[in-house]
Amino acid sequence: MSNPASVATLTAAIDEQVERTHERVQGLYRELHRYPELPFQEHKTSARLAETLEALGYDVTRGVGGTGVVAMLRNGDGPTVMLRGDMDALPIAEQTGLDFASHERAETSEGKQVPVMHACGHDLHSSCLVGAAAVLAELRERWRGTLMLVCQPAEEVFGGARAMLDDGLYTRFARPDIVLGQHNMPALAGTVGHIPGQAMAAATTLGVTVHGAGGHGSMPAQTVDPVVIAAHIVTRLQTIVAREVPPEQTVVVTVGKLQAGTQGNIIPHSAELEINVRSFDDALHQQVLESIRRIIRAECEAGRSPREPEFRVLSETITLNNDPDGVAQLQRAHAAQFGEAQVFAMPRLNGSEDFPYFGTAAAGGFGGEDIPYVYWFIGATPEERWQATPGQSVAEKMRHLEMPHSPYYFPGNPVTLRTGIEALASGALAWLTAD
Ligand code: ZN
Ligand code: ZN
């Protein structure tokens, strides 16, 4: 699509189709927002998405990797482009005050009753995916290839992407040539942000049990105190980033949970820790995890712990590394669609995603070469609010705005929905119309 005239007519054609579909997509969005579901429980959400995609003429398969949905549109010889939207919500009580706010409650996998809210905007992502599906189906005369739409469950627990891959996503349907996905962010609505290369962090949450030998608080010599051992562990873990990680690298080690004991005069039997690690290098990430295990084992030995500590990986995901050529191709497509001024350089994020499993052969378990992928960000803050927010750069302004996972976060304004549909549709067409 190097011919400027054909780019202009394609942009106009996308605009026309978005104009026809966006009100229906807004209705779908409000419905999904009102009835959020927890990871791997997206039964109503996935059923609604599946029936909508079927009505648009897609070949739809339900129940892929649990509640996942795959929708195919085969349209002659050409590349296979995969578009991914996630569907799950969070255990948060919504405080937005919207007339379509969630009042839902659900039971977690541990049997706990919790409120549920779409506080990360995954309702927006799946609605935009449906919008793009409508646009691309209408424009099928203009492109050749295979469109593969993936409604993914359980992103928040980093489980859904691997569940779909393990269920044969690339063998039962197609192996994509490029994988595309997006996330909303507190940036100006109507803008699209790109990051070539390292974009999001690898993340692991490790659960640890440290064993002691409990007893009376007045007789410490007859006990092994796991509280003291745990305290040393927390302090010593700080030396990993300070003394073991090269200064040019970014690593975070956070002990976010530390629990032991019931009252002051009892030395408990054990202590529980949860440790969260973030980094931008998968090899270094593994090294840091090994350092954590080494320090904990050594502190347990130093503290006379009667048993080896126990480690459990509670959740994990790998770094998100955007394909630089793919980013360049998308930036051109998005600049043509939205205008150069609407495309910005997004700062790297310490947040994490399970999206990179779709492109990383070894981690995703699908074999062969890695598949290039691009993940971009769409602005979700309405213009008036953005102008009133202090700061000059996107990064500065973001510090003053609610982020995803806040009970007040609401990315679903009409401009952002439109942008999300257009970004996916124009992004897919950058591959599907290539000569
Ligand atoms: Zn999230
Ligand atoms: Zn999210």
Side-chain angles (χ1 to χ4, degrees):
M1 289 301 299
S2 48
N3 179 340
S6 61
V7 171
T9 58
L10 189 60
T11 302
I14 294 171
D15 284 345
E16 191 193 327
Q17 291 306 327
V18 173
E19 197 55 47
R20 290 166 80 169
T21 192
H22 81 101
E23 280 195 15
R24 261 184 300 146
V25 177
Q26 288 208 36
L28 172 68
Y29 168 73
R30 289 197 193 101
E31 188 187 324
L32 297 183
H33 189 85
R34 170 75 185 77
Y35 300 106
E37 294 173 294
L38 291 175
F40 288 124
Q41 299 180 18
E42 307 90 339
H43 301 287
K44 281 185 245 152
T45 307
S46 61
R48 187 76 179 86
L49 294 169
E51 79 189 22
T52 311
L53 290 165
E54 228 157 31
L56 292 169
Y58 284 74
D59 181 7
V60 172
T61 306
R62 295 160 169 84
V64 182
T67 44
V69 175
V70 180
M72 305 294 289
L73 187 59
R74 296 179 184 85
N75 191 27
D77 288 340
T80 297
V81 177
M82 176 176 143
L83 302 181
R84 176 269 213 170
D86 40 15
M87 302 188 286
D88 57 323
L90 289 156
I92 293 176
E94 179 157 358
Q95 305 292 335
T96 59
L98 293 164
D99 55 4
F100 53 96
S102 160
H103 303 285
E104 295 294 288
R105 296 183 67 80
E107 194 174 303
T108 65
S109 49
E110 293 93 44
K112 224 168 85 186
Q113 287 290 324
V114 291
V116 192
M117 175 193 176
H118 268 299
C120 206
H122 297 185
D123 48 352
L124 179 89
H125 303 161
S126 22
S127 302
C128 291
L129 189 68
V130 168
V135 170
L136 292 164
E138 285 295 326
L139 295 180
R140 78 183 82 189
E141 290 302 312
R142 289 175 173 262
W143 58 271
R144 288 287 167 267
T146 298
L147 196 54
M148 179 174 177
L149 307 182
V150 168
C151 306
Q152 185 207 302
E155 187 282 327
E156 294 290 356
V157 296
F158 304 142
R162 280 177 291 171
M164 292 189 85
L165 289 164
D166 290 347
D167 202 6
L169 182 66
Y170 292 168
T171 47
R172 288 167 59 193
F173 302 97
R175 188 184 169 100
D177 296 295
I178 180 84
V179 179
L180 304 177
Q182 61 183 0
H183 206 291
N184 67 90
M185 263 294 132
L188 173 61
T191 62
V192 182
H194 290 275
I195 317 174
Q198 289 179 349
M200 297 182 85
T204 304
T205 301
L206 205 59
V208 184
T209 305
V210 169
H211 295 285
H216 202 286
S218 66
M219 293 178 269
Q222 292 172 34
T223 72
V224 174
D225 190 346
V227 174
V228 175
I229 299 174
H232 279 290
I233 288 171
V234 173
T235 313
R236 180 114 195 178
L237 288 179
Q238 308 309 315
T239 63
I240 298 174
V241 173
R243 303 289 82 181
E244 295 185 34
V245 171
E248 66 276 14
Q249 295 274 8
T250 303
V251 173
V252 176
V253 176
T254 294
V255 182
K257 180 176 164 186
L258 174 57
Q259 276 178 355
T262 51
Q263 67 181 35
N265 62 350
I266 306 168
I267 293 170
H269 254 305
S270 62
E272 299 288 332
L273 298 92
E274 280 184 27
I275 303 162
N276 186 252
V277 181
R278 309 258 168 178
S279 78
F280 289 93
D281 181 299
D282 289 322
L284 178 64
H285 197 82
Q286 291 310 315
Q287 184 194 314
V288 169
L289 288 170
E290 196 37 54
S291 296
I292 290 172
R293 292 190 183 95
R294 186 195 75 238
I295 286 171
I296 292 174
R297 280 193 213 101
E299 288 294 348
C300 286
E301 197 188 334
R304 295 184 296 124
S305 175
R307 275 165 61 197
E308 283 278 303
E310 284 154 39
F311 299 97
R312 297 171 301 282
V313 174
L314 301 176
S315 74
E316 65 178 334
T317 189
I318 53 177
T319 54
L320 193 148
N321 254 305
N322 278 324
D323 180 62
D325 295 338
V327 170
Q329 193 161 341
L330 266 169
Q331 276 171 327
R332 284 193 295 277
H334 287 164
Q337 186 66 33
F338 301 109
E340 295 277 355
Q342 305 299 100
V343 178
F344 68 96
M346 175 83 187
R348 191 172 82 170
L349 294 165
N350 251 2
S352 305
E353 248 293 339
D354 73 353
F355 178 79
Y357 283 104
F358 288 119
T360 314
F366 52 84
E369 299 274 300
D370 286 351
I371 298 170
Y373 60 82
V374 182
Y375 191 75
W376 66 85
F377 298 88
I378 52 172
T381 308
E383 169 125 42
E384 214 174 304
R385 176 95 198 273
W386 187 253
Q387 299 307 349
T389 303
Q392 295 300 315
S393 68
V394 173
E396 281 168 9
K397 281 180 182 274
M398 268 189 195
R399 273 181 229 130
H400 297 276
L401 292 163
E402 301 91 52
M403 293 298 280
H405 295 204
S406 154
Y408 298 96
Y409 187 64
F410 171 62
N413 67 83
V415 177
T416 302
L417 260 166
R418 256 192 103 113
T419 306
I421 301 169
E422 288 180 40
L424 285 170
S426 62
L429 289 170
W431 274 265
L432 295 169
T433 60
D435 296 324

